């Protein structure tokens, strides 16, 4: 019986180290929450695993409109260059990758551009005049930051459920072997 418990603990330890090694975003340029003060020429996302085909990212401005980017997939990273200039404002990068382990992972990061470039539209003058009267308060800035932070998610398979099933299988096997030994004696 002692051997069974030792074997069960060893199997559990081996499984838990395998499960904890999953794909993650290691570094991004610009980093999450950063303020970019120079013209943005490239976004780079680096991961801790090789990336498979189908991995991609999109960039949205503060109005939720997608900003066109040329995205290039490298071995453990993705990079993208904007197809045009990016005016001042808040931007969200939504990435979806398939790691070497085959699991899809997705996440969100945000940054702010403050390069002095204004979005060119017919009503630019009206936007500037309107924005002067709409100075955000500290409360709204905090709320926006909290919303951006809460949107950052990473989805991965439910490893806790897998571990629970493994533990239950080990307990069932141990109980079965114990019952067999008890019948023999």
């Amino acid at each position: 019986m002692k051997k069974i418990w030792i074997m069960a603990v060893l199997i559990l330890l081996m499984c838990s180290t395998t499960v904890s090694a999953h794909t993650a975003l290691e570094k991004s340029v610009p980093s999450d929450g950063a303020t970019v003060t120079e013209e943005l020429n490239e976004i780079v996302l680096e991961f801790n695993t090789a990336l498979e085909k189908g991995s991609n990212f999109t960039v949205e401005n503060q109005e939720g409109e997608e900003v066109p980017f040329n995205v290039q997939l490298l071995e453990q990273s993705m990079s993208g260059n904007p197809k045009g200039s990016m005016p001042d404002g808040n931007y969200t990068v939504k990435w979806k990758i398939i790691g070497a382990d085959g699991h899809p992972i997705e996440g969100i990061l945000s940054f702010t551009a403050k390069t002095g470039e204004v979005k060119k539209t017919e009503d630019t003058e009206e936007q500037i005049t309107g924005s002067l009267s709409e100075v955000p308060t500290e409360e709204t800035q905090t709320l926006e930051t909290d919303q951006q932070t809460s949107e950052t998610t990473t989805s991965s398979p439910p490893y806790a459920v897998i571990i629970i099933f493994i533990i239950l299988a080990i307990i069932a096997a141990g109980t079965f072997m114990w019952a067999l030994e008890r019948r023999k004696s």
Side-chain angles (χ1 to χ4, degrees):
M1 187 67 178
K2 197 175 199 181
K3 290 180 185 178
I4 293 172
W5 285 110
I6 291 172
M7 192 167 80
V9 169
L10 288 175
I11 290 172
L12 182 63
L13 289 175
M14 288 186 331
C15 291
S16 65
T17 57
T18 303
V19 170
S20 66
H22 61 276
T23 305
L25 178 66
E26 284 190 333
K27 180 181 174 187
S28 67
V29 177
S31 61
D32 190 24
T35 299
V36 179
T37 56
E38 296 179 7
E39 184 178 349
L40 184 67
N41 295 319
E42 182 178 45
I43 292 178
V44 180
L45 305 175
E46 295 179 9
F47 298 87
N48 65 350
T49 186
L51 303 179
E52 300 291 327
K53 286 184 180 179
S55 300
N56 200 355
F57 71 81
T58 58
V59 179
E60 293 179 358
N61 61 19
Q62 58 196 17
E63 287 85 27
E65 301 166 339
E66 189 171 322
V67 178
F69 261 76
N70 294 317
V71 179
Q72 184 178 31
L73 185 63
L74 305 171
E75 187 175 325
Q76 288 189 307
S77 65
M78 288 187 288
S79 65
N81 307 85
K83 292 183 179 179
S85 62
M86 295 178 65
D88 286 358
N90 297 321
Y91 291 90
T92 303
V93 178
K94 296 180 179 181
W95 53 267
K96 294 179 181 181
I97 65 157
I98 301 172
D101 60 0
H103 290 112
I105 308 288
E106 60 186 61
I108 298 174
L109 63 95
S110 301
F111 66 93
T112 303
K114 289 189 179 180
T115 60
E117 185 168 331
V118 179
K119 184 176 181 179
K120 296 177 184 171
T121 62
E122 293 176 12
D123 57 334
T124 301
E125 187 175 310
E126 186 178 311
Q127 288 177 350
I128 292 171
T129 307
S131 66
L132 290 175
S133 63
E134 298 173 7
V135 177
T137 64
E138 186 176 320
E139 184 178 313
T140 57
Q141 289 174 340
T142 305
L143 180 60
E144 288 173 1
T145 304
D146 290 344
Q147 287 174 344
Q148 289 173 353
T149 304
S150 67
E151 288 176 358
T152 304
T153 59
T154 302
S155 64
S156 59
Y159 290 115
V161 173
I162 294 170
I163 290 173
I164 290 170
F165 279 123
I166 291 171
I167 291 170
L168 290 175
I170 291 170
I171 291 171
T175 304
F176 180 72
M177 293 178 83
W178 175 75
L180 283 178
E181 283 184 29
R182 195 160 185 215
R183 275 191 186 170
K184 288 180 184 176
S185 33

